[in-house]
Amino acid sequence: MDLSSIDLAIKYHSLEDEEWAKNGGTSIIIAAGKFGFKNSEFKTAKELIAHIEQQSPKNVLVLYDNDTVPTVIVSVVDQCKKANVGKLVIKSIDGYGR
């Protein structure tokens, strides 16, 4: 999966959820071999999860693809719940950019 699929998914979500876009749009990427939080990239899922814990985001978009290990998705979602995320949206990037 190429990074343009991630960009397209974020742009479409911005159109669907204007409040998310207005408030800075926190996105967590666990797709295309990347682990990212907003504009920060991490080498491992463990580093990303630790970062989520420190940030306590309130409105989050989590993007994954078919190659993402399911346990990583679960760990990221669980950490978001522990961080009391107010609104959590989880989307696959598969299908964007094709």
Side-chain angles (χ1 to χ4, degrees):
M1 199 57 50
D2 60 61
L3 290 177
S4 65
S5 297
I6 293 170
D7 294 336
L8 282 172
I10 290 171
K11 285 182 184 185
Y12 275 105
H13 186 70
S14 295
L15 295 172
E16 295 169 350
D17 188 345
E18 291 179 12
E19 180 185 333
W20 178 82
K22 277 190 223 176
N23 292 327
T26 300
S27 58
I28 297 174
I29 299 166
I30 48 175
K34 305 285 182 195
F35 300 104
F37 183 97
K38 284 193 169 187
N39 296 323
S40 301
E41 271 195 41
F42 302 91
K43 292 182 181 181
T44 66
K46 189 175 182 176
E47 290 175 359
L48 170 63
I49 291 165
H51 186 74
I52 295 168
E53 183 178 9
Q54 295 169 353
Q55 298 301 312
S56 298
K58 297 299 173 209
N59 189 345
V60 176
L61 169 64
V62 176
L63 297 174
Y64 69 94
D65 63 12
N66 285 339
D67 295 329
T68 305
V69 178
T71 54
V72 172
I73 298 169
V74 171
S75 295
V76 167
V77 170
D78 284 348
Q79 188 57 54
C80 286
K81 288 178 180 179
K82 287 178 188 174
N84 294 318
V85 168
K87 184 175 182 183
L88 180 62
V89 177
I90 306 161
K91 291 186 177 186
S92 172
I93 63 168
D94 294 310
Y96 289 98
R98 290 185 184 181

